[in-house]
């Protein structure tokens, strides 16, 4: 039987056309983290590479940070908000399951009536969103797609957990994906390892809520201040995640290079998820990247911003002239799930 459906009329290829970022104004140095945990600036810097991170204030909501980053990405791409046909928001720190924050963001940027939805793919979220966007552009479902990675991980940080208190930061990064005449986003190598789902997780229960006031009650709990309420914090088995990232993710990065037909010598820029400087260094070594490859080391001043980390690092490399438009970049995200996604892109 012959199909009655006409072939898709999308673009031949897709590319990242523009990038934008938003970093909260408040910079939090390690000294501030040390008020709550027994550690040292030296330990945090040497084990994670992190010196400072940005934490959002009350006005810097998931939506507000996204709107800022999206506006810059749209301007950088040279399109108008009305041309955006789909908005994909990757986040794990927007607290409503429904409605998706993407619809509010689409409305606030003046995008008309685009398709809009959220995805939850942890620190691989940007790569997942980028892959969906590429598919939409090449199958004609949308001409221009806005992909946002945004997190307020400070809301999910247990300040007294010395294994995680220093790791996380807040921010938003966005790109616009649109039509291209030649390949500019390679095949994505992605996947999940659900047998390791427990290695990074949110902790619910009385461990977390022990200070929640009892509404209407007059017992000791009821007198607890509201500001003492804790969101379910992210906990992780640091060493297990570290080993997985170092050994398995270098292989995935190599597979993405192979799938795109790009050798390390052809590469200009490497933008791994900004989780830990030692993971970044180890991947550079295993992949045998030549010295002239620019490596994103945004983690030092941004911390781990999960889905936002790759577009934020990309934006900074371009803004500071460390990378330039047209450069060939390997991007790889990995994290809670465990999930991962790697691809080779041409920088906007
Ligand atoms: C979190 C992380 C920096 C911890 O580093 P580590 O070298 O694995 O540290 P360990 O947990 O093995 O602890 C090593 C020692 O430091 C101590 N330590 C742990 N946290 C500490 C802290 N904040 N300050 C000082 N000492 C600390 C431990 O007690 C341990 O001491 P011991 O050797 O006397 O037992 C590291 O595991 C990591 O980055 N993991 C991956 C994180 C990540 O990328 N997550 C997100 C993926 S998306």
């Amino acid at each position: 039987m012959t199909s009655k459906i006409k072939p898709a009329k999308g673009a031949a290829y897709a590319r990242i056309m523009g990038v934008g970022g938003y970093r909260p104004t408040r910079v939090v140095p390690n000294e501030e983290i040390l008020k709550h945990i027994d550690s040292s600036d030296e330990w945090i810097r040497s084990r994670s590479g992190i010196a400072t991170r940005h934490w959002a204030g009350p006005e810097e909501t998931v939506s507000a940070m996204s709107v800022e980053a999206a506006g810059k990405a749209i301007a950088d791409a040279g399109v108008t908000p009305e041309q955006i046909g789909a908005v994909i928001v990757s986040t794990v720190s927007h607290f409503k399951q429904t409605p998706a924050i993407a619809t509010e963001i689409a409305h606030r940027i003046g995008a008309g009536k685009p398709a809009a939805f959220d995805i939850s793919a942890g620190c691989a979220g940007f790569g997942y969103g980028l892959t969906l966007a590429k598919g939409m552009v090449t199958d004609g479902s949308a001409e221009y797609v806005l992909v946002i990675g945004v997190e307020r991980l400070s809301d999910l940080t247990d300040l007294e957990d010395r294994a995680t208190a220093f790791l996380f930061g807040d921010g938003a990064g966005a790109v616009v994906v649109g039509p291209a005449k030649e390949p500019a986003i390679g095949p994505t190598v992605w996947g999940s390892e659900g047998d390791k789902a427990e290695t990074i997780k949110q902790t619910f229960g009385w461990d977390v809520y022990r200070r929640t006031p009892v509404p209407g009650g007059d017992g000791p709990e009821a007198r607890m201040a509201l500001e003492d309420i804790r969101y379910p914090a992210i906990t992780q088995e640091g060493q297990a995640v570290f080993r997985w990232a170092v050994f398995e993710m270098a292989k995935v990065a190599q597979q993405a290079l192979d799938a795109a037909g790009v050798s390390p010598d052809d590469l200009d820029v490497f933008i791994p998820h900004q989780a830990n400087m030692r993971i970044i260094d180890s991947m550079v070594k295993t992949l045998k990247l030549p010295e002239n490859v620019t490596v994103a080391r945004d983690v030092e001043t941004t911390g781990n911003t999960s889905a936002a980390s790759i577009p934020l690092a990309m934006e900074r490399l371009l803004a500071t002239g460390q990378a330039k438009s047209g450069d060939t970049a390997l991007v790889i995200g990995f994290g809670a799930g465990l999930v991962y996604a790697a691809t080779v892109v041409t920088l906007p």
Side-chain angles (χ1 to χ4, degrees):
M1 204 173 76
T2 318
S3 169
K4 294 180 179 126
I5 301 168
K6 289 184 201 158
K9 268 199 185 157
Y13 304 104
R15 68 187 172 108
I16 300 177
M17 301 176 64
V19 60
Y22 179 81
R23 294 159 202 271
T25 47
R26 185 170 163 236
V27 175
V28 178
N30 287 341
E31 287 70 31
E32 194 172 331
I33 306 293
L34 297 174
K35 288 180 191 163
H36 308 279
I37 55 168
D38 177 18
S39 186
S40 67
D41 179 47
E42 201 279 326
W43 191 93
I44 296 173
R45 283 177 194 254
S46 64
R47 302 312 285 174
S48 72
I50 300 170
T52 59
R53 70 288 286 147
H54 297 254
W55 279 359
E59 310 292 319
E60 292 166 318
T61 60
V62 166
S63 170
M65 293 193 292
S66 298
V67 168
E68 290 291 327
K72 290 180 195 166
I74 289 168
D76 192 40
V79 297
T80 63
E82 296 81 17
Q83 288 176 284
I84 300 294
V87 177
I88 302 171
V89 177
S90 181
T91 183
V92 296
S93 43
H94 168 57
F95 290 114
K96 287 185 194 158
Q97 288 287 326
T98 193
I101 193 69
T103 63
E104 180 187 320
I105 293 165
H107 175 66
R108 285 182 65 179
I109 62 169
K113 297 182 181 177
F117 59 96
D118 300 352
I119 55 175
S120 173
C123 306
F126 177 72
Y128 273 58
L130 187 66
T131 306
L132 296 179
K134 174 188 171 188
M136 291 172 176
V137 169
T138 55
D139 89 349
S141 302
E143 192 174 7
Y144 302 102
V145 181
L146 178 64
V147 180
I148 300 170
V150 55
E151 303 292 358
R152 267 178 67 109
L153 292 180
S154 58
D155 288 339
L156 293 168
T157 300
D158 181 349
L159 296 178
E160 290 164 13
D161 176 6
R162 72 203 287 254
T164 57
F166 56 92
L167 285 177
F168 301 123
D170 302 337
V175 298
V176 172
V177 178
K181 294 199 175 75
E182 56 181 5
I185 302 175
T188 300
V189 176
W190 57 352
S192 65
E193 296 185 32
D195 59 320
K196 301 181 186 67
E198 293 291 300
T199 54
I200 306 176
K201 62 181 178 184
Q202 273 179 270
T203 308
F204 286 88
W206 283 100
D207 269 0
V208 171
Y209 288 113
R210 61 184 180 268
R211 297 198 228 166
T212 305
V214 178
D218 60 0
E221 293 96 331
R223 288 196 290 275
M224 295 293 175
L226 262 175
E227 57 262 33
D228 278 347
I229 294 178
R230 291 186 185 186
Y231 285 111
I234 296 173
T235 59
Q236 69 168 344
E237 294 169 28
Q239 277 204 16
V241 177
F242 189 94
R243 275 197 303 272
W244 174 76
V246 164
F247 292 114
E248 301 304 324
M249 291 305 102
K251 291 181 208 162
V252 170
Q254 183 61 55
Q255 286 164 15
L257 285 174
D258 294 345
V262 169
S263 79
D265 289 331
D266 298 327
L267 208 59
D268 302 304
V269 183
F270 178 44
I271 312 178
H273 168 48
Q274 302 292 298
N276 182 314
M277 199 71 85
R278 289 188 297 137
I279 294 176
I280 296 170
D281 289 338
S282 163
M283 288 176 93
V284 168
K285 217 168 139 188
T286 310
L287 287 165
K288 298 190 173 65
L289 297 186
E291 288 214 340
N292 61 327
V293 172
T294 299
V295 179
R297 298 184 182 282
D298 201 34
V299 67
E300 183 181 0
T301 53
T302 307
N304 178 348
T305 56
S306 192
S309 90
I310 291 174
L312 274 176
M314 186 184 289
E315 188 248 6
R316 180 155 278 173
L317 288 178
L318 289 164
T320 56
Q322 290 169 271
K324 58 183 191 311
S325 175
D327 276 354
T328 301
L330 169 64
V331 299
I332 178 166
F334 45 86
L338 296 175
V339 290
Y340 54 87
T343 186
V344 179
V345 301
T346 305
L347 292 183

